[in-house]
């Protein structure tokens, strides 16, 4: 089969390669890929900023149909419509595995990074990672399950009450999904972006987000203060990975506010205004990826039409059109891009 393979580390080195069709293990399922989303980490990997176990087939956000199951698999059958968690291997022994926090297992191997992923016709997944699709969740929506689970994981880090004012920094796919989930809590949601994010800010308004603010044209601080009697936001989700956004978020928070860091920084060492964390007694926490308990709730959110993940899909290409997909993302023309396999 043909697959989109990261052949070597460094910028580029992403090619369509003929690879052997994978065979299913006794505790695994073989999935015919329908759609596979391009994640920010795929972009970082292409650009050489994120290390994977090259050579490896990229792709970890996907939906598909089971075509074969291993001899120990009784929970699923060929024909099942499914999506899968990204976890392919865990140690199963550490305190994180025992508590279901697989995303924190030091031995964890993920699809599309250490194990061949979904930018191909078929992908192999372990049975424990598989989730059947509810009736009202189509394949396009299902390919958005993983990023939606990441957003859900982040929102679960905060205590959000009805009527709270919540700021989401960054209108990328994760920011737009986070904002939608927060809305289900009954909060007032402000999402921010730049002039180059106009398409995404307009999409936020279409999705019912209360305020979509271009911070290059509007005073975000004044808007937040006007909605909070001058106190500041109750919660801030930082979804850009930009240092300037972190410091802006700390400034926008009220005293004893909650700050959740979702975006991944390009550099491991950053400079932030730690004085605000101390003087305002801000509660700051990081959110890494997703874990098993995040998946069924987000499938339910899509099935019940409470979150519209499909609305973020603006472009579809096949895996041989990577260059076009990459340009659409980098230019800001696209919000979310899905890839399809080729024979």
């Amino acid at each position: 089969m043909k697959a989109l393979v990261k052949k070597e580390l460094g910028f580029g080195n992403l090619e369509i390669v003929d690879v052997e069709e994978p065979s299913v293990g006794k505790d695994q399922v073989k999935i015919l890929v329908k759609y596979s989303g391009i994640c920010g980490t795929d972009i970082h990997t292409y650009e050489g900023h994120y290390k994977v176990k090259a050579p490896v087939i990229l792709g970890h956000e996907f939906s598909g149909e089971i075509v074969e199951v291993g001899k120990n698999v009784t929970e699923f059958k060929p024909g099942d419509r499914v999506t899968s968690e990204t976890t392919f291997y865990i140690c199963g022994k550490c305190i994180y595995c025992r508590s279901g926090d697989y995303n924190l297992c030091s031995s964890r191997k993920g699809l599309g990074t250490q194990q061949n992923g979904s930018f191909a016709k078929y992908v192999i997944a372990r049975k424990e990672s598989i989730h059947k699709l509810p009736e009202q969740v189509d394949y396009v929506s299902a390919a958005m399950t993983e990023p939606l689970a990441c957003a859900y994981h982040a929102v679960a880090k905060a205590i959000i009450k009805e009527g709270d004012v919540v700021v989401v920094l960054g209108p990328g796919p994760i920011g737009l999904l986070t904002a939608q989930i927060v809305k289900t809590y009954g909060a007032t949601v402000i999402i921010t972006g730049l002039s180059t994010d106009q398409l995404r800010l307009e999409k936020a308004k279409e999705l019912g987000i209360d305020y979509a603010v271009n911070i290059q044209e509007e005073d975000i601080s004044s808007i937040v203060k006007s909605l909070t009697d001058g106190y500041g936001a109750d919660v801030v989700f930082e979804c850009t990975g930009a240092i300037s956004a972190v410091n802006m978020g700390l400034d926008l928070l009220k005293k004893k506010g909650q700050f959740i860091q979702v975006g991944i920084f390009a550099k491991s060492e950053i400079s932030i205004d730690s004085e605000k964390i101390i003087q305002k007694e801000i509660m700051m926490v990081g959110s890494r990826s997703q874990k098993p308990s995040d998946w069924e709730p987000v499938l339910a959110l899509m099935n019940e039409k409470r979150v519209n993940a499909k609305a973020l899909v603006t472009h579809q290409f096949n895996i041989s059109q990577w260059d076009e997909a990459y340009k659409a993302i980098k230019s800001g023309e696209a919000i979310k891009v899905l890839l399809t396999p080729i024979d």
Side-chain angles (χ1 to χ4, degrees):
M1 66 177 185
K2 296 188 182 299
L4 190 56
V5 176
K6 178 72 173 180
K7 298 187 72 174
E8 298 177 12
L9 298 181
F11 187 92
N13 301 321
L14 192 57
E15 299 178 17
I16 293 292
V17 177
D18 283 311
V19 300
E20 186 175 349
E21 188 175 306
S23 57
V24 66
K26 62 182 181 179
D27 296 306
Q28 300 171 341
V29 301
K30 183 177 179 178
I31 300 167
L32 172 65
V33 176
K34 297 293 186 177
Y35 295 96
S36 188
I38 297 178
C39 175
T41 55
D42 295 319
I43 297 296
H44 291 319
T45 299
Y46 175 73
E47 294 176 339
H49 305 310
Y50 191 84
K51 291 185 178 181
V52 296
K53 188 180 179 181
V56 67
I57 301 171
L58 299 187
H60 58 270
E61 307 174 356
F62 66 95
S63 62
E65 177 187 338
I66 292 178
V67 294
E68 186 180 355
V69 300
K71 65 178 183 179
N72 292 344
V73 179
T74 58
E75 306 92 330
F76 305 100
K77 64 184 185 304
D80 283 346
R81 299 184 319 119
V82 298
T83 186
S84 173
E85 298 168 29
T86 60
T87 297
F88 184 80
Y89 171 82
I90 56 169
C91 75
K93 301 176 182 178
C94 69
I95 58 173
Y96 307 111
C97 286
R98 295 201 302 270
S99 63
D101 296 310
Y102 297 164
N103 57 318
L104 300 178
C105 173
S106 298
S107 300
R108 178 187 176 277
K109 295 179 181 179
L111 294 173
T113 50
Q114 293 84 31
Q115 175 70 26
N116 283 332
S118 56
F119 289 167
K121 186 173 182 178
Y122 298 104
V123 63
I124 299 294
R126 65 182 201 133
K127 65 177 183 178
E128 294 88 351
S129 291
I130 301 298
H131 296 267
K132 292 182 182 179
L133 304 186
E135 184 178 352
Q136 299 302 317
V137 177
D138 60 28
Y139 282 123
V140 171
S141 299
M144 297 290 291
T145 310
E146 196 273 345
L148 187 57
C150 290
Y152 185 90
H153 188 73
V155 174
K157 300 286 185 182
I159 299 172
I160 301 172
K161 304 182 297 297
E162 186 172 356
D164 278 354
V165 173
V166 178
V167 176
V168 177
L169 303 175
I174 295 296
L176 288 166
L177 294 171
T178 298
Q180 287 191 71
I181 295 171
V182 173
K183 280 297 297 177
T184 69
Y185 284 70
T188 296
V189 182
I190 306 166
I191 192 166
T192 68
L194 307 175
S195 296
T196 53
D197 294 317
Q198 192 57 39
L199 172 68
R200 298 176 178 199
L201 292 173
E202 290 173 1
K203 180 63 69 175
K205 294 175 184 177
E206 291 176 19
L207 292 168
I209 305 308
D210 301 287
Y211 299 89
V213 179
N214 179 342
I215 60 171
Q216 292 177 309
E217 296 181 357
E218 301 177 77
D219 185 348
I220 182 63
S221 180
S222 295
I223 293 171
V224 171
K225 287 178 180 177
S226 70
L227 293 170
T228 61
D229 294 327
Y231 284 103
D234 297 284
V235 186
V236 166
F237 291 91
E238 200 297 295
C239 300
T240 71
I243 299 169
S244 58
V246 176
N247 289 316
M248 182 175 73
L250 294 173
D251 187 57
L252 294 174
L253 270 176
K254 71 177 185 181
K255 294 174 182 177
K256 302 193 77 171
Q258 303 168 75
F259 187 103
I260 294 83
Q261 183 61 46
V262 188
I264 298 174
F265 301 110
K267 297 180 180 179
S268 58
E269 294 184 7
I270 63 171
S271 177
I272 63 173
D273 189 353
S274 58
E275 185 70 9
K276 283 194 174 68
I277 300 173
I278 299 166
Q279 298 302 332
K280 294 169 75 171
E281 292 194 354
I282 288 171
M283 291 172 280
M284 192 172 188
V285 64
S287 181
R288 183 187 187 281
S289 189
Q290 37 66 40
K291 63 181 183 179
S293 59
D294 300 317
W295 285 69
E296 289 300 319
V298 299
L299 285 168
L301 284 172
M302 289 191 287
N303 192 54
E304 296 162 8
K305 310 301 182 185
R306 300 177 68 199
V307 168
N308 187 350
K310 186 177 182 178
L312 305 190
V313 178
T314 55
H315 293 67
Q316 293 183 26
F317 299 96
N318 66 54
I319 58 172
S320 69
Q321 297 172 300
W322 169 264
D323 288 342
E324 294 175 59
Y326 177 74
K327 289 175 184 176
I329 293 170
K330 296 298 286 186
S331 69
E333 178 186 345
I335 298 178
K336 189 68 178 182
V337 176
L338 300 187
L339 299 181
T340 54
I342 54 175
D343 292 325

